[in-house]
């Protein structure tokens, strides 16, 4: 993720239709440059993946976008339902893969605690995405936004691993505005954002701050102690692996 270093800026100031056009052109250009047949992404029933799926479909056409729906044991049924409805509404190909049997296989050899389990689920999901990407010559689309990237709210080599980050320079509040323009289903727009890593988990609850508050700080560059600590501690996620440079 070397192209997504944390930097403060105001919102784009662009109308949603202009943002949508720019993102669509980005996806189409990158897929063509890679010689890929299309793109694959995970859709969760949340707003970020809904926006990326919608823009990818507009950019590439429904026959060149493939979605995986990967519920875990803690996934709310309504989230899976929303993901299925979204894929069907866009007319894109999709496949549902339940994570439980895969996670249970890990449990047979590991004593998995709650937080490592959440990270494990994210990494299993990305493994599945790259399996289909390799099989079908597709690029993996990430669904992370600038807010999450800036504070490291992601799993390294999990949801943070991808080939393209179409909304990676849009704050969460901007993604919501874009979602309204794209007419993302209201039920998806209204739900509390969650990574679905354990029962009752929500993004804002885990971070201890609302997205509106967080975006205001990040855009102004005036970070409180907690947010600054999050930004500093997550620098390694934005910089990529450190390389030992040979001297002499």
């Amino acid at each position: 993720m070397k192209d997504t270093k944390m930097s403060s800026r105001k919102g784009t100031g662009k109308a949603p239709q202009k943002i949508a056009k720019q993102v669509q052109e980005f996806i189409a250009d990158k897929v063509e440059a890679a010689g890929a047949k299309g793109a694959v992404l995970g859709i969760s029933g949340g707003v970020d993946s809904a926006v990326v799926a919608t823009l990818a479909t507009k950019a590439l056409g429904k026959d060149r976008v493939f979605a995986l729906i990967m519920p875990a044991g803690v996934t709310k049924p309504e989230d899976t339902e929303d993901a299925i409805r979204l894929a069907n509404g866009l007319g894109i190909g999709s496949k549902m893969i339940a994570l439980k049997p895969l996670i249970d296989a890990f449990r047979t050899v590991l004593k998995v605690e709650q937080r490592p389990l959440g990270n494990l689920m994210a990494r299993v999901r990305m493994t599945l995405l790259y399996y289909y990407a390799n099989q079908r010559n597709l690029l993996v689309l990430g669904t992370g936004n600038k807010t999450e990237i800036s504070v490291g709210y992601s799993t390294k080599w999990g949801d943070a691993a991808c080939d393209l980050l179409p909304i990676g320079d849009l704050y969460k509040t901007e993604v919501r505005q874009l979602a309204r323009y794209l007419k993302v289903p209201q039920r998806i727009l209204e739900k509390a954002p969650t990574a679905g890593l354990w029962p009752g988990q929500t993004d804002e609850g885990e971070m201890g701050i609302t997205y509106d508050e967080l975006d205001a700080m990040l855009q102004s560059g005036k970070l409180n102690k907690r947010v600054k600590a999050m930004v500093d501690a997550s620098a390694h996620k934005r910089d990529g692996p450190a390389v030992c440079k040979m001297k002499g």
Side-chain angles (χ1 to χ4, degrees), residues 181-195:
Y181 165 73
L182 294 170
K183 293 182 170 51
V184 165
Q186 193 66 26
R187 186 162 119 159
I188 292 178
L189 275 169
E190 290 177 349
K191 68 174 63 174
T194 174

Side-chain angles (χ1 to χ4, degrees), residues 131-160:
Y131 171 80
Y132 281 95
N134 293 158
Q135 182 190 62
R136 303 185 181 198
N137 187 23
L138 306 173
L139 293 186
V140 174
L141 302 183
T143 61
N145 57 63
K146 188 174 180 70
T147 305
E148 294 163 350
I149 292 168
S150 296
V151 297
Y153 190 68
S154 62
T155 296
K156 198 171 185 177
W157 314 129
D159 54 309

Side-chain angles (χ1 to χ4, degrees), residues 232-243:
D232 291 345
S234 62
H236 66 99
K237 296 185 180 184
R238 295 182 291 278
D239 293 343
V243 176

Side-chain angles (χ1 to χ4, degrees), residues 2 240-246:
K2 293 182 180 178
V243 176
C244 178
K245 298 292 187 179
M246 297 296 100

Side-chain angles (χ1 to χ4, degrees), residues 84-110:
I84 293 170
R85 286 196 188 102
L86 179 73
N88 291 341
L90 293 173
I92 60 178
S94 65
K95 182 178 180 63
M96 186 163 70
I97 302 176
L99 290 194
K100 188 177 186 303
L102 298 172
I103 300 302
D104 285 347
F106 280 96
R107 287 182 185 275
T108 63
V109 294
L110 300 173

Side-chain angles (χ1 to χ4, degrees), residues 202-231:
T202 65
D203 295 354
E204 293 177 331
E206 189 177 3
M207 290 189 292
I209 187 172
T210 69
Y211 275 111
D212 287 348
E213 293 168 332
L214 189 51
D215 280 0
M217 289 186 196
L218 293 171
Q219 291 183 50
S220 69
K222 298 177 181 178
L223 312 182
N224 65 20
K225 185 176 180 180
R226 176 183 176 83
V227 173
K228 186 178 185 305
M230 293 168 70
V231 171

